[in-house]
C-alpha cells in the first residue's frame, strides 16, 4: 500500500495523468484524427517491440538492434505513442507541452540509468554515449560492443503486450466517442462488438496477471518447502 501511495505522488502521476484524464473526457476525436494518430502510435509501438527484443538491462551493454542507432529507443517509442494519442484527440497545440513534460518527468530516470551504466561498463559506455545520440537516431550503426539477435522470449518477458492491449482499448474508446458524439450513432452490432472487444482485451490482461501471481505464489511455496 505504501508503495502504491508513493507511486501516485510521483511527478508523472501528479502532472501527466490528471492532464491526460481531462483530455480523455473533454477532447473529441474524429475519423481523420484517429487515422493520423494511429500512424504515430504504430511507429512508437513497433520501435518499443524492436527494442525490447534486444534489451538486456544492466547485465550487458546493449548496442544491438535500435540501440546501435539511439541510446533510449524505449523512451522515444513512448513519446511517439503519446504524440499519437494527442493527435487522435485533435489537441495539436498540446503536443509540444506534453512532450516537454514527458522529458521533464523522465529526465531524472534517464540520468540515473546512464550513471548506473557508466559505473558498471565504464569506458565502454562512455564511448557508446559519445557516438550514439540519446533520442535522435544516428545515420550509421554503432559497430562496437557485443551483438546478439532479436529474441521473442526476451520480448515476451518485457510484458510489452500490456501496452499493446491498452493502446488498442484506448483507440476503441476514442472511436466510440467519435461515433456517439460526432456522428451520433445509435447502438448497433458493430458498436456492441467494439465494446465487447475492449472489455475482453482488458480481461485478458487481468487473467494473465492473475495466472502470473498464482505461479509466483506456487513457486514461493515450493522454495519454502
Amino acid at each position: 500500500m505504501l508503495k502504491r501511495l508513493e507511486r501516485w505522488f510521483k511527478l508523472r502521476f501528479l502532472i501527466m495523468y490528471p492532464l491526460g484524464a481531462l483530455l480523455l473526457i473533454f477532447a473529441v476525436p474524429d475519423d481523420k484524427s484517429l487515422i493520423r494518430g494511429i500512424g504515430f502510435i504504430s511507429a512508437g509501438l513497433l520501435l518499443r517491440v524492436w527494442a525490447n527484443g534486444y534489451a538486456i538491462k544492466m547485465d550487458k551493454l546493449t548496442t544491438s538492434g535500435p540501440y546501435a542507432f539511439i541510446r533510449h529507443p524505449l523512451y522515444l517509442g513512448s513519446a511517439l505513442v503519446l504524440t499519437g494519442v494527442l493527435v487522435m484527440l485533435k489537441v495539436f497545440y498540446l503536443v509540444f507541452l506534453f512532450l516537454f513534460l514527458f522529458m521533464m518527468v523522465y529526465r531524472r530516470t534517464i540520468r540515473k540509468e546512464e550513471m548506473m551504466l557508466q559505473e558498471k561498463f565504464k569506458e565502454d559506455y562512455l564511448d557508446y554515449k559519445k557516438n550514439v545520440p540519446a533520442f535522435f537516431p544516428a545515420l550509421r550503426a554503432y559497430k562496437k560492443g557485443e551483438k546478439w539477435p532479436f529474441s521473442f522470449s526476451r520480448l515476451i518477458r518485457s510484458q510489452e503486450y500490456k501496452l499493446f492491449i491498452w493502446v488498442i482499448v484506448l483507440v476503441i474508446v476514442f472511436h466510440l466517442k467519435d461515433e456517439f458524439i460526432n456522428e451520433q450513432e445509435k447502438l448497433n452490432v458493430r458498436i456492441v462488438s467494439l465494446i465487447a472487444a475492449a472489455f475482453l482485451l482488458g480481461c485478458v490482461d487481468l487473467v494473465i496477471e492473475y495466472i502470473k501471481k498464482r505461479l509466483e505464489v506456487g513457486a514461493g511455496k515450493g522454495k519454502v518447502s
Side-chain angles (χ1 to χ4, degrees), residues 98-128:
F98 265 75
L99 291 178
F100 173 75
L101 290 174
F102 180 90
M103 290 305 301
M104 291 297 292
V105 167
Y106 287 99
R107 183 177 61 176
R108 184 182 298 178
T109 303
I110 292 171
R111 187 180 299 170
K112 183 179 178 180
E113 288 178 358
E114 291 195 336
M115 287 178 65
M116 292 170 64
L117 289 167
Q118 184 175 330
E119 184 178 348
K120 182 166 185 177
F121 300 106
K122 299 180 174 56
E123 293 300 325
D124 289 338
Y125 183 73
L126 288 175
D127 184 75
Y128 173 70

Side-chain angles (χ1 to χ4, degrees), residues 9-187:
F9 280 96
K10 286 184 176 180
L11 187 60
R12 64 177 177 269
F13 285 87
L14 290 173
I15 296 177
M16 297 191 71
Y17 285 17
L19 286 174
L22 288 173
L23 286 177
L24 292 177
I25 294 169
F26 294 108
V28 181
D30 57 33
D31 290 340
K32 289 183 179 179
S33 68
L34 286 170
I35 292 171
R36 290 168 183 164
I38 285 173
F40 284 98
I41 290 173
S42 299
L45 290 176
L46 288 172
L47 180 57
R48 287 186 59 87
V49 166
W50 187 23
N52 274 304
Y54 285 96
I56 301 179
K57 297 179 180 179
M58 295 308 299
D59 292 329
K60 292 183 178 181
L61 179 58
T62 305
T63 62
S64 304
Y67 290 91
F69 301 92
I70 183 172
R71 297 204 308 272
H72 302 292
L74 289 172
Y75 290 116
L76 178 59
S78 297
L80 287 171
V81 171
L82 173 62
T83 300
V85 170
L86 296 176
V87 170
M88 276 187 173
L89 294 174
K90 297 194 300 184
V91 284
F92 307 105
Y93 54 91
L94 287 179
V95 169
F96 292 106
L97 173 61
F98 265 75
L99 291 178
F100 173 75
L101 290 174
F102 180 90
M103 290 305 301
M104 291 297 292
V105 167
Y106 287 99
R107 183 177 61 176
R108 184 182 298 178
T109 303
I110 292 171
R111 187 180 299 170
K112 183 179 178 180
E113 288 178 358
E114 291 195 336
M115 287 178 65
M116 292 170 64
L117 289 167
Q118 184 175 330
E119 184 178 348
K120 182 166 185 177
F121 300 106
K122 299 180 174 56
E123 293 300 325
D124 289 338
Y125 183 73
L126 288 175
D127 184 75
Y128 173 70
K129 185 177 180 180
K130 179 181 177 181
N131 290 281
V132 180
F135 290 103
F136 296 96
L139 297 178
R140 294 182 179 180
Y142 184 73
K143 300 296 184 181
K144 299 178 184 178
E146 182 183 354
K147 307 295 180 181
W148 50 82
F150 183 93
S151 169
F152 282 101
S153 61
R154 194 178 298 124
L155 174 62
I156 292 170
R157 289 197 302 271
S158 72
Q159 299 188 8
E160 192 66 18
Y161 65 86
K162 281 180 167 291
L163 184 60
F164 263 89
I165 287 174
W166 289 107
V167 165
I168 292 171
V169 170
L170 199 62
V171 172
I172 291 173
V173 170
F174 291 162
H175 178 65
L176 291 174
K177 193 172 184 181
D178 171 44
E179 293 287 294
F180 284 121
I181 295 176
N182 286 350
E183 301 181 15
Q184 297 183 345
E185 287 278 348
K186 294 181 180 179
L187 204 63

